[in-house]
Amino acid sequence: MKELSELIFVEGLHYTDDHEWISGDGATLKVGITDYAQDQMGDIVFVEAPEVGDELSKGDEFGTIESVKAVSELYLPISGEVVAVNEDLDDAPELVNEDPYKNWLIEIKPSDPSELEGLLTLDAYKEILKG
């Protein structure tokens, strides 16, 4: 496991206390897991994602991610419609371990962009990890 100082963090993303991130401020937003999450999980072997067209609410489980250690649920940080799923992860789920910020999980069209305001800033997320 990496020390906090060894983890990769990205400015400008919104974070959740469930260790998901969300990026973008346009018509669609990408969702993934943080470097902390992938580090804690170990080698990722499978990613289950929703179907394109699924309508989900903030906090809904949108899939699972499986590693050699455990299976973890994924929770949607913002309500919206799934417009894309990262199909690269079907054949190579370990890409999330290599770069969890480049290798996003799903892309959504938000139904209520104001929900972004309730998410964590990078500094607030780091404080949770320190706690």
Side-chain angles (χ1 to χ4, degrees), residues 22-47:
I22 190 164
S23 70
D25 52 13
T28 64
L29 305 169
K30 289 187 171 141
V31 179
I33 65 167
T34 65
D35 191 35
Y36 174 83
Q38 73 78 25
D39 182 58
Q40 293 293 305
M41 292 196 71
D43 294 334
I44 293 171
V45 296
F46 183 73
V47 176

Side-chain angles (χ1 to χ4, degrees), residues 30-99:
K30 289 187 171 141
V31 179
I33 65 167
T34 65
D35 191 35
Y36 174 83
Q38 73 78 25
D39 182 58
Q40 293 293 305
M41 292 196 71
D43 294 334
I44 293 171
V45 296
F46 183 73
V47 176
E48 178 185 46
E51 298 291 322
V52 170
D54 284 356
E55 290 275 348
L56 301 167
S57 297
K58 180 179 179 173
D60 283 355
E61 185 179 315
F62 73 87
T64 58
I65 193 161
E66 184 176 340
S67 72
V68 294
K69 293 182 184 179
V71 176
S72 295
E73 291 79 23
L74 300 164
Y75 299 99
L76 197 61
I78 185 172
S79 302
E81 176 187 353
V82 178
V83 295
V85 173
N86 188 346
E87 294 178 3
D88 292 344
L89 303 179
D90 291 345
D91 295 325
E94 67 277 4
L95 290 172
V96 175
N97 290 118
E98 293 172 18
D99 187 339

Side-chain angles (χ1 to χ4, degrees), residues 10-24:
V10 177
E11 284 285 345
L13 301 181
H14 301 277
Y15 294 88
T16 72
D17 52 9
D18 291 319
H19 311 292
E20 285 95 15
W21 58 262
I22 190 164
S23 70

